[in-house]
Every structure is written in C-alpha cells, then in structure tokens.
Amino acid sequence: MNNLSIFGTSSDAGKSTLSFAITYLLHKRGIKVAPFKAQNVSNNSQVTDAGGEVAIPQYFAAEAIGMKTTPDINPILLKSGSKNSTHLIINGKSVGDKDVLSYYRDIGTLKPVAKKAFKTLSKKYECIVAEGAGSPVELNLMEKDLSNIYIAKKFNTKIILVADIERGGVFASIYGVYKLLPKQLRKNVIGVIVNKFRGDSSLFDEGIKIIEKDFGIKVLGVVPYKTFNLGFEDSQSIMGYVQDTKKAKIKVGVVKLPHISNFTDYEPLVADEELELSFIQNVSELSSCDVVVLPGSKRVVDDLEWLNTNCFSKQLTNTNKTVIGICGGYEMMFENIIDAEAIETDNKSTKALGIFKGKVEFKKEKIVKKGKYEIFGSKVKGYEIHNGVSKDLHMQKNNYYGTFIHGLFDNDKIRYKIFNQVDPNYKGYNFKKYKKQTIEDFTSHIDTHIDMEYILKKL
C-alpha cells in the first residue's frame, strides 16, 4: 500500500485536522495506519507512551485510533528558544538551543533522523499519513524542507493538496502549488480537498469543473466549515475556537503569555457550556474574570517579566479570584526562580510572584513523563514537560492552585471541585465522552464530504 502526504496550498489550510481525519477514517476501514510529521514547529507538545515529547497533532491522531505512541511519529520538534534561537527536540529528547541560521545550514544532518523514523513506522504500519508544513513550494527553502518535499520524494508518497477557500485566491493557490511542485511529485498528486467552505456548496460546482478540466486535478471534496475544538496545534488554532456561552455561569480568563504553551490544557474549558473562556492580554480584563489561569510557558522568565511590565503581577498576588498556575505558570507563583545553569536566562536568580513559599530551580535535564498523579485530593492522568524543579508537584493556598501537571482539566472530579467552589451551581460534565463524540462527529463530517473510496483506490 502507498503512503500518503498531505500538503497545504498555504499555511493554516487545515492540514492537521484533515490529516487527523483521514488517518482516523483509514483506521475505521481496517487499514493499519500511523500519523507522521517529520518536523513540527510548536510549543504545544505531549509525552508519548514510549517517553519523549512530540507535537500535539500527531499525538492526538495516534491517541484517537488507539495507537501506541513513540517519538517516531514526530522525530523533529522545534520550540521557542532564547533570542534568535530555536529549542531542538530530536526523537523526543531535548538537545538544546540552536540559532536558526545554523539549524537550516545543518538541515542535511537531520534528514537521516526523519528517514529512520519513517522507515521504522513503515515496518509496522500499512500506510503512513505524513502531514506537510506550511506551503510545500517555498522555492528558496525547498531543499531544506523536511516535512513536505523530502519525505514525498524519498518515499514516493501519494499526495493530497488541501486548499483553504475561506482566505480567497483558492484557484491561484491550487494551480500555483501544483505547477511549482517538482515534476516527479506532480504525478503523485491524487487530488485536492477544498476546505472551510461556507454557504451553499453548489455555488462551487463550476469551480470544481474548472479545477478538474483546466488544471487537470481531481477535486476529492468540498468540505463545509465545521468547528473542531480539539487537538489545538498552536496559538493561532486555539484562537479559532467557538463556544456556546448561553448557559455559562463562570468566566475564566487564561493569560495569553507571549510564549504560552500546551494550549490543549484548555480544551475541556472550551467545551464546558457552564464556562465562558477568554484569552486575556490586558490587565483590565482581569476584573471580568471569576477564575484566572496562568498557563504553561516555553520561556518562563521572559513571560514573568511580561507579567510585571504589563501590571498583571500586582493584581494576581492581591485577589480573591481563583488563580490556577499550570507548569510554567506554577513556577512563576514561587518566591524565586533559580537558573544557575543559564537554561533560559543569564539571570541566576529572578524574583517571582511569591504566592507560594520556596523556589524553583531550572535543571538541564528536562522532566518529560506521563502517568497517574494524586493532586488536590484526586487521582488524575497527566503529563509533565518542564526544566523547573520544586519539592512540591502541586500546591494550594486559599484561592491559589498550582501544579506541574498538564491535563488537569481533563479530569472531571478536579474540574468540578475547583469550579463548584467558585459557583455552587456548577455541575460539570464528562469530558471523555464529549471528546469521543466530537471526534466521531467531525470525522463523519469529513467522510461525508470527501471521496474516501477514491483515495483508498489510489493508495
């Protein structure tokens, strides 16, 4: 069976969600399938079953089909680094910061990493769905493109293009990307999916004829826009969430730090009809919130300085509102952050918010693990990704909560305990059930609007 690459004709065309959906639909049809992305750029990551961290989209797709996760599904991950550098994670393990210019100069050394991961998966799975990155035809970067061109050429994958009609210019983007692809890849394009259509899709019937007749590319489907509040890859994707707030009892504000990470922590809050969630960047917005969340951060000291500069610190340390710190946000709640090894900053000691007594020390050896934890009186499944070390995995002081554990709000009991104390009328809901149903609804929607049988035939 052939492997499959999903290329976007632009950034944010919907590659991640369609890669996930096609992976899921192949699995439902009895194909032994695995998600893959050679290189991802995101501060949002998860811990695999085998250990090590990978980007959320590949983890989410694997989890949805019950696949045991390993770093092979995303062997190269880039996160925010210091100054003009990027933090490099290879095969799930942190290898430190590297400046962007030298990263691209040495990209050839990473091709064997991507190749080995893909080949390892190929031994176990019939089909690999390889998500691309950005546009596959950035002509000045094509030789340095690991996720699109390199994988498609090396493994002769079949290719589906995904075009975002919502942005406009859909015909130019489809035709331009197709014609700029190397000839050997052009023949592997099995079709295009026109994504995020709003309104009566029959209005695009003539568009389908043009693409198929004049461009010579089969239209595999026109997918109507549908909200999918799961599997958030980055801050741009989570900003597109849609909430029904008619029954909301509690207003929750997540401070949108410049280096905010692990946005999937807030998916259970987006889905909760009793909560109204907003991401806040101005201190004046705090007054309208009942609960404030200090989220995870890839650059904790820098984001702490941002809190100070933007007058959040004084408000957060003198409030009767419920304040919850997660991972980096929790680290900011201690008295001091010690960085003697210059992991994030040249400042050996930084004064933090002082909500909890004690200090956090940054260590070169990053803690990356998942498991079951007992925090705030409940047992939860969660994961850790942090350099900061403290003797306390979690702390609570009056209206302040803090923990290193990601996935806190996935737990129905903890979510109920915290929000019921804010408003005794809060009832809570079953997030696991919601997640399962949402995945089924979304993938069924995709199945209805794309020609999966044709795709299977070509594979």
Side-chain angles (χ1 to χ4, degrees):
M1 191 172 194
N2 290 294
N3 296 305
L4 179 64
S5 287
I6 309 291
F7 288 177
T9 62
S10 65
S11 295
D12 201 35
K15 293 185 301 296
S16 293
T17 49
L18 281 167
S19 294
F20 152 70
I22 290 171
T23 300
Y24 190 86
L25 293 171
L26 289 172
H27 170 75
K28 293 284 279 188
R29 283 166 168 79
I31 308 298
K32 197 172 183 185
V33 60
F36 178 82
K37 189 165 184 175
Q39 172 195 283
N40 213 327
V41 182
S42 177
N43 284 339
N44 208 17
S45 61
Q46 247 281 15
V47 181
T48 73
D49 297 321
E53 55 184 308
V54 296
I56 286 293
Q58 286 65 55
Y59 182 90
F60 178 76
E63 182 187 47
I65 61 174
M67 172 186 167
K68 182 176 174 63
T69 54
T70 72
D72 290 321
I73 61 179
N74 174 218
I76 302 164
L77 175 61
L78 307 178
K79 292 187 171 186
S80 300
S82 59
K83 299 178 182 178
N84 293 319
S85 69
T86 184
H87 185 72
L88 184 58
I89 296 161
I90 297 179
N91 292 325
K93 304 295 183 184
S94 171
V95 296
D97 287 4
K98 193 164 189 175
D99 71 84
V100 177
L101 285 176
S102 64
Y103 172 78
Y104 279 109
R105 184 191 64 222
D106 301 335
I107 199 78
T109 62
L110 293 176
K111 288 181 178 179
V113 174
K115 178 182 175 182
K116 183 179 179 182
F118 194 98
K119 291 182 77 171
T120 300
L121 289 175
S122 295
K123 293 174 183 177
K124 302 176 184 177
Y125 298 92
E126 297 174 81
C127 178
I128 296 172
V129 178
E131 181 190 341
S135 164
V137 290
E138 300 297 334
L139 301 182
N140 58 321
L141 297 174
M142 284 174 74
E143 290 304 313
K144 304 179 186 299
D145 181 354
L146 293 180
S147 295
N148 298 296
I149 303 301
Y150 175 72
I151 291 297
K153 277 186 175 182
K154 180 62 66 176
F155 297 101
N156 197 34
T157 60
K158 296 298 181 182
I159 299 168
I160 291 176
L161 303 179
V162 178
D164 178 1
I165 196 169
E166 192 173 37
R167 293 186 173 200
V170 70
F171 296 104
S173 70
I174 294 170
Y175 186 79
V177 167
Y178 180 69
K179 287 297 183 180
L180 288 172
L181 282 174
K183 287 183 180 180
Q184 71 180 92
L185 296 186
R186 221 178 294 163
K187 64 180 175 60
N188 284 343
V189 174
I190 63 176
V192 61
I193 296 172
V194 178
N195 197 24
K196 303 181 187 178
F197 192 91
R198 295 180 188 264
D200 185 349
S201 60
S202 67
L203 294 173
F204 198 68
D205 287 349
E206 187 62 28
I208 294 173
K209 292 177 184 177
I210 291 168
I211 294 168
E212 294 190 334
K213 182 181 177 182
D214 296 347
F215 298 177
I217 308 170
K218 180 174 176 59
V219 176
L220 299 170
V222 178
V223 179
Y225 181 88
K226 183 176 176 65
T227 300
F228 186 55
N229 290 330
L230 292 172
F232 294 127
E233 179 176 15
D234 51 32
S235 57
Q236 185 174 355
S237 62
I238 198 171
M239 289 303 107
Y241 73 90
V242 177
Q243 234 188 339
D244 183 354
T245 59
K246 293 191 295 290
K247 299 179 181 179
K249 302 180 176 80
I250 300 169
K251 290 187 176 182
V252 181
V254 178
V255 181
K256 192 172 182 292
L257 301 169
H259 303 93
I260 184 174
S261 66
N262 295 80
F263 322 103
T264 44
D265 280 338
Y266 312 109
E267 289 175 354
L269 307 187
V270 170
D272 194 334
E273 64 179 15
E274 295 181 87
L275 306 179
E276 181 178 343
L277 182 74
S278 60
F279 286 82
I280 59 178
Q281 292 180 282
N282 193 304
V283 70
S284 63
E285 298 173 273
L286 286 176
S287 61
S288 65
C289 300
D290 303 303
V291 176
V292 181
V293 180
L294 269 176
S297 165
K298 186 59 188 68
R299 306 288 304 165
V300 176
V301 174
D302 288 348
D303 283 349
L304 176 60
E305 179 58 31
W306 182 87
L307 287 180
N308 293 333
T309 301
N310 289 277
C311 305
F312 276 90
S313 300
K314 185 177 180 180
Q315 295 288 330
L316 290 172
T317 54
N318 294 280
T319 182
N320 291 321
K321 299 176 187 294
T322 296
V323 178
I324 306 165
I326 298 176
C327 198
Y330 175 44
E331 293 170 4
M332 296 178 196
M333 298 171 81
F334 284 84
E335 293 175 302
N336 294 287
I337 296 173
I338 308 301
D339 193 1
E341 299 180 79
I343 307 300
E344 280 197 17
T345 175
D346 293 331
N347 298 331
K348 291 187 176 182
S349 179
T350 301
K351 184 180 178 182
L353 298 176
I355 294 168
F356 299 132
K357 287 187 176 182
K359 63 185 178 181
V360 168
E361 293 186 67
F362 287 164
K363 300 293 185 181
K364 282 189 177 180
E365 188 67 30
K366 186 190 289 188
I367 295 173
V368 179
K369 64 180 182 178
K370 65 189 300 185
K372 295 181 179 179
Y373 303 87
E374 187 161 336
I375 55 175
F376 307 130
S378 297
K379 292 182 179 179
V380 304
K381 287 183 179 180
Y383 64 99
E384 299 175 65
I385 303 176
H386 55 96
N387 288 97
V389 176
S390 163
K391 62 183 180 69
D392 297 300
L393 193 63
H394 68 100
M395 291 185 75
Q396 182 182 356
K397 176 184 174 184
N398 301 322
N399 54 311
Y400 293 97
Y401 298 79
T403 182
F404 283 114
I405 308 305
H406 292 287
L408 178 74
F409 297 123
D410 289 35
N411 184 275
D412 297 339
K413 288 184 178 179
I414 283 188
R415 210 171 54 251
Y416 174 79
K417 178 179 179 179
I418 293 174
F419 291 111
N420 182 258
Q421 287 180 355
V422 177
D423 185 338
N425 294 313
Y426 177 81
K427 297 177 181 177
Y429 77 109
N430 187 321
F431 177 65
K432 186 176 180 180
K433 182 178 178 181
Y434 161 85
K435 188 173 181 178
K436 182 179 179 181
Q437 188 60 54
T438 300
I439 288 172
E440 284 291 341
D441 291 347
F442 183 78
T443 53
S444 294
H445 170 75
I446 300 299
D447 202 4
T448 300
H449 292 97
I450 68 174
D451 193 342
M452 276 301 297
E453 301 316 310
Y454 181 85
I455 292 171
L456 268 170
K457 181 182 176 181
K458 289 296 182 179
L459 292 178

